[in-house]
Structures are given as C-alpha cells and as structure tokens.
Amino acid sequence: MIADFGIFGGDDRSCYLAAELLRRGRRVAAYALTTGEGAAAVLRAASGLQTARSLRELAQSAPVLVGPVPFSKYIGKSAAEKSGDDLTQEELLSCLSQGQRLFAGQLPAAFAKEASAAGAVCIDFLKEESVLSENALLTAQGCLAEILCAWPEKLAAAKVLVLGYGCCGSAIAQLLHRVGAEVTVCVRRVESAWEAAQQGLRVCYAQGLAEELTGQDIIVNTVPARLLRLELLKGLRNGVLLVEIASQPGGFSPAEAQECGINAIFCPGLPGKYCPRGAAAAMADCLCSREDRAAGKK
C-alpha cells in the first residue's frame, strides 16, 4: 500500500478530507475513521481509498499523516487511558519515522516535542493562516446556530458580550452584529479595540469586565483562560446564556455556572459539527499547497 496521505481518527472532517484529496487525484489511505452516515456516503462514493489494517501499516504507507482536529479529543495520552479501539499518543509516537510529516489540530506541545525527538515534523492546522481564517468563519456559523437553538427570545437587539477578539472572537462578533445583536467585545490590546470599533462594535477592556457583564443577555467566551470567576458569575442577570467556544480550561467553571443556575452551553469542534465539508476543503488546500511546495511544484 502506497499513499500520499494517511488519514486517521477524527470526526466527519476526516472523512470529507479523504474524499476531497481523492477528488484532487491524491493517493489516500485511512485508518479508524469515525463518521456520520452523510460523510460516510460521500467517502464510499469516492474511488481509490486504501484502508490500512493498523496505525503502523498506515504510517508505513504514507510520508504525510493527517490526524484529527482537535487532536486530544480523539487521541488519548496513553494505553492506560485507552478505551476499546481508541488511538493513543504512545501508539502514534511508536509509528512515526524520520522525516515524516504529521498534520493535526491543537497538537499538545509535549506530544509535538516527543514527535520531533523521533525525527517527525508536526504541523498544527490551527496555526496555518489559511486554515485558521476559514476555521474562524465556520466556527462563527456554528456558534450562531447553537445560540439560535438555545436562546428563546429575539436575537436582534439582544445584548451580546464576546470575550476575546482573536480570529474566532472577531468572526463571531461580526456575524452576531450583522444579524442585529448589540455586540460588545472584551479586548486586551488597543489594536484589537480599534479594529472592533471600525466594525461598528462596542468595546470594553478586560480591566472593566465586571461592570460590562451587568445586563448582558448572551456571553460568548473565546478565551482559554478563566475570565469569569465565581464572583462574576454570581453577578450575571437571570436568564443569561453562557456560550463556551474556547479550549480547556475555558472561560468559566461548568460546576460554578451550574451552582449559579446559569444556562451554559459548551460548543467544541463547531466546524466539524456544522460545516465539516467546508473545514475539510480548507485542510485539503493547506495539505496540497504545503506538499506541492515541498516537492518544488508551483
């Protein structure tokens, strides 16, 4: 079995990615793909997919391995944490070879360091500019869908506070603004404040967060840091909706939110849930352009 890309683990994005790479004429092998029926049907319709019998066989068949986004959601740390057919970081590290490239999303620093020591090269999809920007737009679409399902009132004119104005925070804030919400963004940097103001958004700084929380209808956190401590959660109005987008540790404690009787929803992997085909296309663009450059193709 010889392939250009070996894809393993993950959600529907992995399945759509395999189909998209096959459509582009690339040789693809796969192992342990877990997908919904829609994505599985797309992959069945694509011709030429090779199926590996083990992770090691997959690793030996392709110079480029493609893991899930986010990596740690689908790949456990060690055999002690393994459940059924789950893949582990230990298993993957043992399969990597000198010069092999591994693409995935949110790769843990400790794992990347060990992989590098084994001679492999790790590339984080969510640090690649093209994927990052597209992922932010798809995350914003998914966030809006989650809010519409959980918010029982009219979204237009609702007071929304978005914590953070990075790629995802800015995309979410601008989309909510376009559908009529009264959006405030909480920022740390003057440059972010200026950019948000240019988009017609209200701005507050992290130092003034406590005052800004009062009266908000919806709060969306995109910052992986505990900004909303218990004393701040206690001051939120009745009926507020908390939306968690950030990775661990998140912006607030789920237990503390429950203790305060707050309606909180947790939304990991939104592109994979709502826009897997679009997310896969961005990943395919990244993979093909990087590998073509490495091969000296224009």
Side-chain angles (χ1 to χ4, degrees):
M1 182 166 58
I2 300 175
D4 300 310
F5 300 101
I7 303 176
F8 63 93
D11 53 26
D12 282 0
R13 282 172 285 192
S14 298
C15 209
Y16 281 115
L17 175 60
E20 177 62 19
L21 290 171
L22 287 168
R23 187 188 69 79
R24 298 185 187 195
R26 308 298 172 123
R27 296 171 298 180
V28 180
Y31 176 70
L33 296 188
T34 303
T35 62
E37 183 54 38
V42 169
L43 192 53
R44 284 195 299 269
S47 60
L49 180 68
Q50 304 171 71
T51 303
R53 292 168 294 183
S54 67
L55 184 58
R56 184 167 301 278
E57 183 181 41
L58 183 77
Q60 291 173 345
S61 73
V64 180
L65 296 179
V66 186
V69 182
F71 182 79
S72 296
K73 180 178 178 181
Y74 301 97
I75 311 296
K77 287 186 178 180
S78 66
E81 302 173 7
K82 187 169 181 176
S83 174
D85 295 327
D86 292 347
L87 303 178
T88 68
Q89 294 178 27
E90 285 181 349
E91 183 182 5
L92 178 57
L93 284 168
S94 72
C95 296
L96 296 176
S97 59
Q98 184 73 31
Q100 196 160 39
R101 276 92 68 204
L102 170 65
F103 288 78
Q106 293 181 352
L107 280 162
F111 174 86
K113 183 177 180 180
E114 290 190 67
S116 178
V121 179
C122 290
I123 301 98
D124 195 323
F125 276 126
L126 299 185
K127 292 182 180 178
E128 295 289 300
E129 188 59 38
S130 61
V131 177
L132 193 60
S133 58
E134 187 67 15
N135 187 75
L137 294 174
L138 300 177
T139 297
Q141 289 182 201
C143 181
L144 177 59
E146 292 281 356
I147 290 173
L148 289 172
C149 290
W151 183 244
E153 302 177 35
K154 185 172 68 174
L155 188 55
K159 292 184 177 181
V160 180
L161 175 63
V162 178
L163 305 179
Y165 201 68
C167 284
C168 286
S170 59
I172 290 168
Q174 290 171 33
L175 182 56
L176 290 171
H177 176 65
R178 286 198 293 272
V179 299
E182 183 182 319
V183 181
T184 300
V185 294
C186 180
V187 304
R188 291 185 299 106
R189 300 184 300 114
V190 172
E191 295 84 355
S192 297
W194 182 87
E195 181 184 340
Q198 292 296 305
Q199 297 296 327
L201 306 172
R202 292 184 68 252
V203 176
C204 75
Y205 287 93
Q207 299 91 322
L209 177 58
E211 293 76 16
E212 200 63 45
L213 288 169
T214 304
Q216 296 293 338
D217 298 312
I218 302 168
I219 301 170
V220 181
N221 178 64
T222 70
V223 181
R226 289 291 168 86
L227 298 181
L228 298 177
R229 302 176 303 279
L230 179 58
E231 58 269 26
L232 295 179
L233 292 176
K234 288 180 177 178
L236 299 180
R237 79 165 187 83
N238 290 334
V240 70
L241 174 65
L242 271 184
V243 184
E244 180 65 273
I245 300 298
S247 56
Q248 292 297 322
F252 57 92
S253 162
E256 290 177 352
Q258 185 176 24
E259 176 186 336
C260 295
I262 295 171
N263 181 17
I265 57 175
F266 300 88
C267 309
L270 288 174
K273 180 178 180 180
Y274 288 100
C275 321
R277 192 192 293 262
M283 292 159 66
D285 288 342
C286 175
L287 287 167
C288 292
S289 63
R290 260 186 165 268
E291 291 306 301
D292 286 348
R293 289 198 304 270
K297 299 178 182 178
K298 294 184 178 180

